[in-house]
Amino acid sequence: MRILILTVGTRGDIQPYVAIGHGLQQQGHQVMICAPEAFRAFIGAYDLAFSPMPNAILKLLDSQMGRDIVENSAGILGAARTAFKLLGQVKPMQEGIMQACWQAAEAFQPEGLIFHTKTLCGTAIGERLNIPIIMTLPLPVMVPTQDFALLGTPELPDFVPTAWKQAYHRHSYRLVQMGMNAYRKQIQHFREHTLGLPPQTQNVDFLHHSDGRPIPFLHVYSAHVLPRPEDWPQHIGVTGYAFLPVQPWTAPKDLQIFLDQGEPPIYIGFGSIGGKDPAATARLILQAVQHAQVRAVIATGWGGLACPDALIPEGVHVISEAPHDHLFPSMAAVVHHGGAGSTAAGLRAGKPTLICPFFGDQPFWGERVHTLGIGPEPLPQKKLSVTALTQRLQQLKHHSAYAQNAAALAQKLQHEDGVAQAIAFIERYLKATDHA
């Protein structure tokens, strides 16, 4: 079967789809991934056909404006403010993404379509080509449930009756639909002028086809980390984390010497996210590491942290990046921003985890890690201080229950084949004939 995958965003939005695409191709399917140009080499390394979309959104996130906005995006109100501020800039970028998705579809002529919700155009392209589609996300923010509220929304107090809480939980997801409605006119224009489709009626939400049929929805995270709600219908899947096959990698000599010469260090890295002042954040981290008297490997990432050589104390080793699946097993614990991919890698490695979230789904995963007893209470970036980080680092090192709980969860994750489960879900729904 010819399967087209559409995805956009940062590395955490791309990697699970590469893992699934690679797995599908291993099963004999022909797969193409349409993603930002920046990921061409990464996707090509797994022998997957690639079709590019613009890097504009990645460049926006990496700009000073993007950093400033991210710095103030915590919580649902912060996220809403950010979305409103970015709307005027993102809409033209979104047009480029949708056109790139259609160009890929025209060239590849898929028989089935898998798409990240942020591409916005998967439903319309599936309708235009009259092929089955599956919507996907690595986090639970689209499908309403009575079990928990939309991430970022406040929980009601314990004294509130259960029935009221359940109703509140389900209604909280309307905020997502409201946010996506900001792009409805743009989607309608794309449907009519690019695809030649009739306009969708206003009463059709983003979880349904134009004729009202529900769209199969695949969540690529582990039910061991967040149980699948019982009120979700059968076409809503939670298949487990989609990990890529481990690629050969040899640690640089200086890193290996550092790892061999003392007790396992704590990994600290925030990827490409560093807030307004990556250098100031790095200085803060270095002070906290010294005060906590722990060894550390600090990953500067793609601009997330900036560590001048003159400031690096004994017991600290700085790297730009390293594969998490190779590096994390050598760590005593991990500290990161809470992206879905980094969280999954740390949990699979069985490491106590501290999440220092910036925005989006990061606070949610931080709370899940803490609730599961795998790490301290998350430390939001806006509250990051030498004292607070020092205390959390000491907790990571000395609280043995974190290590025990992390090891127990890792055993479950290592026996969970998320890619195989995702493929079974995909084949079940994409091979369905009743999609006309």
Side-chain angles (χ1 to χ4, degrees), residues 3 110 247 347:
I3 300 174
Q247 297 290 303
L347 296 180

Side-chain angles (χ1 to χ4, degrees), residues 261-285:
Q261 70 184 9
E263 64 181 13
I266 294 176
Y267 169 90
I268 305 174
F270 302 139
S272 59
I273 307 175
K276 294 180 180 179
D277 193 340
T281 303
R283 289 194 296 271
L284 184 157
I285 289 171

